[in-house]
Amino acid sequence: MKMVAPWTRFYSNSCCLCCHVRTGTILLGVWYLILNAVVLLILLSALADPDQYHFSSSELGGDFEFMDDANMCIAIAISVLMILICAMATYGAYKQHAAWIIPFFCYQIFDFALNTLVAVTILVYPNSIQEYIRQLPPDFPYKDDIMSVNPTCLVLIILLFISIILAFKGYLISCVWNCYRYINGRNSSDVLVYVTSNDTTVLLPPYDDATVNSATKEPPPPYVSA
């Protein structure tokens, strides 16, 4: 006979590199935390020294500013929020608090949806890629080489690249979701253990509990594997 916990029946507890889903979620949260911290540092340095991100007309063919103060403040606020969400996911996976993982999971779904919309836009409007490339600055690296590529091949290459990204993001979403389900199942107060055979599934109490609860009666016979 095989003893199976209910929450392990419909999903896997392992992820990439044979890590447990908790370990994978912690590593993913730390990675996103580092990335957003680096972005926040760049934005703060740009806000403190705007001239560092101001490009002259000789560099871009026109006077161009990386970001104005209003957009910079919005970007900083988003970065701080992302750091908070990633920290919550990391802490929730480490301390096994399933609710703390939900904001990070919602962010993953939102990011996946945006990338899917980009892929659909490229598929429906393939000429938009060429228009976007033409609007790039004249000194943009490899602009002429990209423009010389066949438009159909360019669309297929970009769609293939986006498809790989979407597949990877989908795998990370499943990892976080499995971690949430695993922690939620572990924290459940009513954990049932099923004893399964080839034909039937029977819920049996532990033998010691059955013996104690029926102390005034004749003890039950020992459980025998089918």
Side-chain angles (χ1 to χ4, degrees):
M1 286 184 293
K2 183 181 179 182
M3 301 185 69
V4 182
W7 61 83
T8 60
R9 291 185 173 188
F10 305 106
Y11 63 96
S12 174
N13 286 342
S14 62
C15 60
C16 185
L17 301 177
C18 298
C19 295
H20 194 275
V21 287
R22 277 188 62 213
T23 305
T25 303
I26 292 172
L27 294 176
L28 183 62
V30 171
W31 173 248
Y32 272 85
L33 189 64
I34 293 173
L35 287 181
N36 286 280
V38 172
V39 172
L40 181 61
L41 290 176
I42 294 175
L43 292 174
L44 291 176
S45 63
L47 188 63
D49 187 11
D51 295 335
Q52 184 179 357
Y53 296 88
H54 182 87
F55 301 94
S56 62
S57 58
S58 60
E59 294 174 324
L60 296 177
D63 198 22
F64 175 77
E65 289 188 3
F66 180 73
M67 245 185 217
D68 57 20
D69 292 341
N71 292 332
M72 188 73 69
C73 293
I74 294 174
I76 291 175
I78 293 175
S79 297
V80 173
L81 179 61
M82 284 303 307
I83 290 175
L84 179 61
I85 291 175
C86 296
M88 288 176 61
T90 304
Y91 179 82
Y94 180 73
K95 292 293 186 179
Q96 299 191 29
H97 298 313
W100 290 59
I101 304 177
I102 293 297
F104 185 73
F105 178 75
C106 294
Y107 157 73
Q108 285 184 301
I109 296 296
F110 179 74
D111 181 60
F112 185 86
L114 286 182
N115 284 272
T116 304
L117 289 177
V118 171
V120 171
T121 302
I122 294 175
L123 188 62
V124 175
Y125 304 103
N127 295 329
S128 60
I129 299 177
Q130 295 290 334
E131 293 296 331
Y132 176 77
I133 295 175
R134 291 191 187 97
Q135 295 176 3
L136 293 175
D139 296 336
F140 188 84
Y142 306 107
K143 177 181 178 180
D144 295 334
D145 296 335
I146 297 175
M147 290 293 297
S148 62
V149 177
N150 184 277
T152 303
C153 293
L154 183 61
V155 170
L156 291 177
I157 291 173
I158 294 178
L159 286 177
L160 177 62
F161 181 71
I162 294 178
S163 299
I164 295 174
I165 293 177
L166 287 176
F168 182 68
K169 287 181 179 291
Y171 178 78
L172 295 180
I173 290 173
S174 67
C175 174
V176 175
W177 175 244
N178 287 338
C179 178
Y180 169 79
R181 294 185 62 184
Y182 171 79
I183 295 176
N184 200 35
R186 287 292 300 270
N187 293 339
S188 177
S189 58
D190 298 325
V191 179
L192 303 180
V193 178
Y194 291 85
V195 179
T196 62
S197 62
N198 294 333
D199 302 326
T200 60
T201 300
V202 182
L203 178 60
L204 295 176
Y207 182 77
D208 295 337
D209 292 347
T211 304
V212 172
N213 294 333
S214 59
T216 58
K217 303 178 182 179
E218 183 181 355
Y223 297 153
V224 180
S225 301

